[in-house]
Amino acid sequence: MSVDNAVTQPTTSIAAGCATCPMYNGAQLTRLGINMTDWDFVVALAGNPNTGKSTVFNALTGLRQHTGNWPGKTVVRAEGGFLYGDKRYKLVDLPGTYSLLSTSVDEEVARDFILFGQPTVTVVIVDATRLERNLNLALQVLEITDRVVIGLNLMDEAKRHGLQVDDRRLARDLGAPVVPMAARQGEGVQALLKAIHEVATGACAPRPRRINHRDPQLESAVAQLVRQIEFAFPGLPNARWVALRLLDGDESIERAVRDGTLGQLTQTVAPQPAPTIHLELEAVN
Amino acid sequence: MTITTLDQLPPGPQARVTAVQLTGAERRRMMDLGILPGAAIAVALENPLGDPTAYRVRGAVIALRREQAQHIQVEIERA
Ligand SMILES: Nc1nc2c(ncn2[C@@H]2O[C@H](COP(=O)(O)OP(=O)(O)OP(=O)(O)O)[C@@H](O)[C@H]2O)c(=O)[nH]1
Ligand SMILES: [Mg+2]
C-alpha cells in the first residue's frame, strides 16, 4: 500500500469495506461521560502511539483524557460512555501499541484488552501520514476479529503534506470500513459513530482480507493446542491466537499460560488454577 | 556507500537498513517497530549519556539501546 500514488476521494464514504452497509440518517450522539452502568456494546480504541485515540475518546464521551503531541501519554485504559441510536456504548481508550505480537510493558495493557477484553467492536485509529507503519497493527487486529472499524485520522495533516489517501480503496483492500477523520476538528466523528453502530448491531459485517497460511501440519498443531487451551481456560477468546503465539515461542504468553494469569485477562472468566498444558512443540515439527 | 551498524551511525546522514542480525522475539520486535531491510533510518536525538539513542524511522521516533542497535546493519546513503 503506497500513500503517494493513491487518489483522493472527497467523500466520507464507508460503504466500500462493507457490502451490507445500509445507508441511513445519522442518529444523535449523547455523551455519557463516566455514567455507564449498563451497556449494550463495548468499543475498544486501539492504534499506534500518538494517532489521536484519546482525542476521539474525548469527542465521543465528553471526558478529558490527557492528549498532547508526544507518544505514550495514555498508559492505563480509560473508560467512558455514550448513547447512539438507542444503544449504550462503553468506550475504552487504550495506550498506543505498534503490535500485538511483540509488546513493551506499556503495550501489554492494549494487547490484553484487544485480545481478551471481548470488545464488540475494535476501532483502530491510524495516522494517515504514516500509513505504512500504522497498517501493521491494523492487519494484526483484522487477523483476530471481523468487527473492526478503521479511523483514518489526521487527514488534515496528510493534506497539508500533499498526501492523498484513497480511503475507499483502502477499505476495499482491508475488507473493513474506513472513516477519514480529522478528530481534533471533530471531522469524521459522525461517520465514525455510524460505522461503529453498524458493525456493533451487525447491520454491517466486514469481511477482512486475511493472509492464508494453511499448512496441514501447522493446523493440526494449532488444533491440538486450542483444545488444551480451551479446556484450561474455559471461555477464553482467541485461543487460536494464543496457540500460534505458543508455537512461535512467545515467552510472555507462555508465562501467562503457565502461571494461570491468562485466564484473568478475560473479564467473564474467574481466575483459574494453574493449568497443565503440554508444550511439547518439538513433537509437531 | 558506507556499511556500518546502527549504533555507529553519526547524527545527520540518512541510512538504510540492510540486515537485522537478531532472531526470535528480538527480531519480531524490530519488525513491529518498522526496522527491517529497506527502511530509511536516521539518528533523531542523541543521548548525552550515549544510551539509548532515538532514531527516526517510518515517521516515528524509536529509542533503541546500543545493545540492540549494534545488531542492525545499515548503509549510509547521504550526509
Ligand atoms: N492535526 C491534527 N491533530 C490531531 C488530530 N487528532 C489528534 N490530533 C492531535 O494529535 C496529538 C495526539 O493526540 P492524542 O489523542 O493524545 O493521541 P493518542 O493516540 O491518544 O496518543 P497516546 O495515548 O500517547 O498513544 C494531540 O496533540 C492531538 O491534538 C487530527 O485529526 N488532526
Ligand atoms: Mg491517548
Side-chain angles (χ1 to χ4, degrees), chain A residues 85-162:
Chain A
D86 287 336
K87 296 292 181 193
R88 294 173 72 85
Y89 285 85
K90 178 165 99 169
L91 187 63
V92 180
D93 186 21
L94 295 169
T97 178
Y98 289 115
S99 169
L100 300 177
L101 302 182
S102 70
T103 40
S104 66
V105 178
D106 296 349
E107 293 177 322
E108 274 178 25
V109 177
R111 178 199 69 186
D112 291 347
F113 191 81
I114 295 165
L115 278 153
F116 308 114
Q118 295 178 295
T120 322
V121 179
T122 303
V123 175
V124 185
I125 302 293
V126 300
D127 180 343
T129 69
R130 299 177 172 91
L131 260 193
E132 185 181 31
R133 163 176 295 287
N134 280 244
L135 286 178
N136 185 46
L137 179 75
L139 288 166
Q140 289 181 13
V141 172
L142 286 164
E143 280 285 320
I144 57 162
T145 172
D146 291 351
R147 293 191 306 265
V148 175
V149 173
I150 307 290
L152 183 63
N153 196 30
L154 294 138
M155 283 297 274
D156 57 324
E157 281 293 307
K159 259 181 218 115
R160 216 165 56 83
H161 288 97

Side-chain angles (χ1 to χ4, degrees), chain A residues 167-180:
Chain A
D167 56 282
R168 294 181 65 94
R169 175 71 192 276
L170 187 61
R172 214 166 46 234
D173 286 350
L174 296 176
V178 171
V179 182

Side-chain angles (χ1 to χ4, degrees), chain A residues 48 52 62 109 163 184 192 227 264 266-267 274-276:
Chain A
N48 281 188
V109 177
L163 287 171
R184 194 164 64 185
L192 182 75
R227 268 196 304 279
Q264 293 160 22
T266 47
Q267 293 153 329
T276 47

Side-chain angles (χ1 to χ4, degrees), chain A residues 1-232:
Chain A
M1 170 64 51
S2 157
V3 184
D4 314 68
N5 55 22
V7 187
T8 194
Q9 298 284 335
T11 59
T12 55
S13 172
I14 56 163
C18 185
T20 58
C21 273
M23 291 309 230
Y24 68 95
N25 284 329
Q28 211 55 43
L29 165 70
T30 309
R31 299 180 178 91
L32 298 176
I34 53 165
N35 304 314
M36 26 112 218
T37 36
D38 294 311
W39 54 85
D40 300 296
F41 302 121
V42 177
V43 177
L45 273 175
N48 281 188
N50 211 32
T51 56
K53 299 174 294 297
S54 298
T55 303
V56 171
F57 178 86
N58 292 348
L60 297 184
T61 62
L63 292 171
R64 285 161 170 262
Q65 268 291 297
H66 191 45
T67 63
N69 195 18
W70 65 95
K73 296 167 297 289
T74 306
V75 286
V76 293
R77 67 175 211 242
E79 304 183 348
F82 64 86
L83 188 71
Y84 183 84
D86 287 336
K87 296 292 181 193
R88 294 173 72 85
Y89 285 85
K90 178 165 99 169
L91 187 63
V92 180
D93 186 21
L94 295 169
T97 178
Y98 289 115
S99 169
L100 300 177
L101 302 182
S102 70
T103 40
S104 66
V105 178
D106 296 349
E107 293 177 322
E108 274 178 25
V109 177
R111 178 199 69 186
D112 291 347
F113 191 81
I114 295 165
L115 278 153
F116 308 114
Q118 295 178 295
T120 322
V121 179
T122 303
V123 175
V124 185
I125 302 293
V126 300
D127 180 343
T129 69
R130 299 177 172 91
L131 260 193
E132 185 181 31
R133 163 176 295 287
N134 280 244
L135 286 178
N136 185 46
L137 179 75
L139 288 166
Q140 289 181 13
V141 172
L142 286 164
E143 280 285 320
I144 57 162
T145 172
D146 291 351
R147 293 191 306 265
V148 175
V149 173
I150 307 290
L152 183 63
N153 196 30
L154 294 138
M155 283 297 274
D156 57 324
E157 281 293 307
K159 259 181 218 115
R160 216 165 56 83
H161 288 97
L163 287 171
Q164 301 184 312
V165 185
D166 184 347
D167 56 282
R168 294 181 65 94
R169 175 71 192 276
L170 187 61
R172 214 166 46 234
D173 286 350
L174 296 176
V178 171
V179 182
M181 309 181 70
R184 194 164 64 185
Q185 291 87 296
E187 285 167 30
V189 171
Q190 277 299 326
L192 182 75
L193 279 165
K194 191 158 163 294
I196 291 171
H197 190 70
E198 286 170 350
V199 172
T201 55
C204 161
R207 277 189 291 276
R209 178 168 301 188
R210 300 226 166 100
I211 297 157
N212 186 352
H213 39 79
R214 300 255 169 245
D215 172 73
Q217 272 190 307
L218 175 67
E219 286 307 321
S220 104
V222 168
Q224 269 183 50
L225 272 174
V226 164
R227 268 196 304 279
Q228 295 188 61
I229 292 162
E230 284 176 342
F231 182 74

